[in-house]
């Protein structure tokens, strides 16, 4: 697990180290907590590369394989063969897919069940989808790992609400996440730029 780095920063680091075919992001737990999986030497190389990073740390997890990465391709193939022998029906209740962070549907049920084996778990996005529904959460099973991750996702989710479309009508939560910024727009001037009276009034109020 990598704590203190965004998924974008982790992926940039992987590419800079030229190990993108050996190391993958397998779980996206929160904005600054992800899990990487892959070849042992690639994991070690990544760990060494962040030793001098401030407020960044890595924690080894006790797992038996590089789950949710292309290394699980053979398992996906075997699982697909098994699924093909079954008669699948759409669930009566909503079940959130690891791969899409959205409920399974009759159209994607088979595809998402098999490909989630080699795809990263979009845990934070799954929690965000459920948080939007204002649901009560109950963790089932030993430990409180999911409860801890949920608490972090709730903190991040509600902080984003402070700058949602009610205050800024020109951005989106997707833009904020993808570009890792707290504000959905940047204001500047260009030689032939466009600047309206309404925009000036908005900026004056905000400042």
């Amino acid at each position: 697990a990598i704590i203190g780095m965004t998924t974008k920063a982790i992926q940039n680091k992987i590419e800079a180290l030229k190990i993108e075919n050996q190391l993958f992001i397998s779980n996206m737990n929160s904005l600054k907590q992800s899990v990487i999986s892959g070849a042992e030497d690639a994991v070690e190389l990544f760990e060494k590369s962040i030793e001098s990073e401030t407020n960044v740390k890595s924690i080894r997890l006790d797992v038996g394989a590089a789950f949710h990465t292309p290394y699980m391709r053979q398992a996906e193939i075997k699982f697909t063969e098994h699924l093909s022998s079954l008669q699948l029906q759409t669930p009566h209740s909503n079940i959130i897919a690891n791969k899409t962070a959205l409920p399974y549907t009759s159209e994607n049920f088979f595809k998402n069940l098999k490909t989630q084996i080699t795809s990263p778990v979009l845990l934070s996005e799954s929690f965000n989808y459920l948080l939007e529904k204002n649901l009560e959460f109950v963790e089932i099973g030993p430990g409180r790992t999911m409860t801890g991750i949920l608490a972090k996702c709730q903190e991040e989710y509600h902080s984003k609400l402070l700058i949602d479309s009610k205050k800024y009508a020109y951005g989106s939560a997707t833009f904020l996440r993808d570009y890792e910024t707290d504000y959905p727009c940047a204001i500047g001037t260009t030689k032939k730029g466009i600047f309206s009276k309404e925009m000036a009034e908005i900026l004056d109020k905000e400042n």
Side-chain angles (χ1 to χ4, degrees):
I2 306 300
I3 301 172
M5 291 182 74
T6 64
T7 54
K8 183 178 180 180
I10 292 173
Q11 187 59 43
N12 287 344
K13 175 74 73 173
I14 290 174
E15 292 174 5
L17 294 171
K18 302 185 184 305
I19 51 175
E20 57 265 39
N21 294 322
Q22 304 172 59
L23 192 65
F24 307 89
I25 299 174
S26 57
N27 287 65
M28 301 176 187
N29 295 340
S30 67
L31 289 179
K32 290 191 176 182
Q33 180 181 326
S34 298
V35 177
I36 56 173
S37 303
E40 179 73 19
D41 55 349
V43 172
E44 291 179 352
L45 180 61
F46 188 94
E47 288 175 326
K48 291 180 180 178
S49 73
I50 63 172
E51 287 179 351
S52 61
E53 297 275 354
T54 304
N55 298 323
V56 175
K57 64 178 180 178
S58 63
I59 300 175
R60 286 291 185 108
L61 303 178
D62 186 17
V63 296
F67 299 113
H68 300 291
T69 73
Y71 282 103
M72 301 301 295
R73 190 72 66 194
Q74 288 302 311
E76 180 186 301
I77 292 173
K78 291 183 179 180
F79 186 63
T80 301
E81 294 173 353
H82 177 66
L83 285 178
S84 299
S85 67
L86 304 176
Q87 185 175 357
L88 301 176
Q89 298 184 18
T90 305
H92 293 294
S93 300
N94 283 340
I95 299 177
I96 310 303
N98 286 340
K99 182 178 179 180
T100 64
L102 294 171
Y104 283 102
T105 66
S106 56
E107 291 76 20
N108 66 30
F109 196 40
F110 182 86
K111 178 182 178 180
N112 286 342
L113 267 180
K114 67 185 183 70
T115 56
Q116 59 89 21
I117 293 177
T118 54
S119 303
V121 177
L122 306 182
L123 185 57
S124 61
E125 290 189 33
S126 297
F127 277 143
N128 286 344
Y129 173 83
L130 296 171
L131 285 168
E132 291 177 356
K133 308 298 181 184
N134 197 29
L135 302 174
E136 179 181 357
F137 292 84
V138 178
E139 180 164 0
I140 300 174
R144 294 177 59 82
T145 301
M146 290 296 103
T147 300
I149 294 175
L150 170 61
K152 185 62 178 175
C153 288
Q154 285 176 312
E155 177 185 332
E156 295 168 348
Y157 176 80
H158 290 299
S159 68
K160 291 302 180 185
L161 291 184
L162 295 176
I163 52 173
D164 68 2
S165 58
K166 293 180 181 179
K167 185 175 182 182
Y168 298 94
Y170 348 96
S172 71
T174 301
F175 180 94
L176 298 178
R177 182 195 65 221
D178 291 348
Y179 290 91
E180 300 172 12
T181 180
D182 290 334
Y183 299 94
C185 57
I187 302 300
T189 59
T190 60
K191 184 177 181 181
K192 296 183 178 181
I194 299 173
F195 195 80
S196 68
K197 173 186 175 184
E198 290 76 15
M199 181 63 75
E201 291 175 348
I202 291 170
L203 289 174
D204 182 64
K205 290 178 182 178
E206 295 300 330
N207 294 325

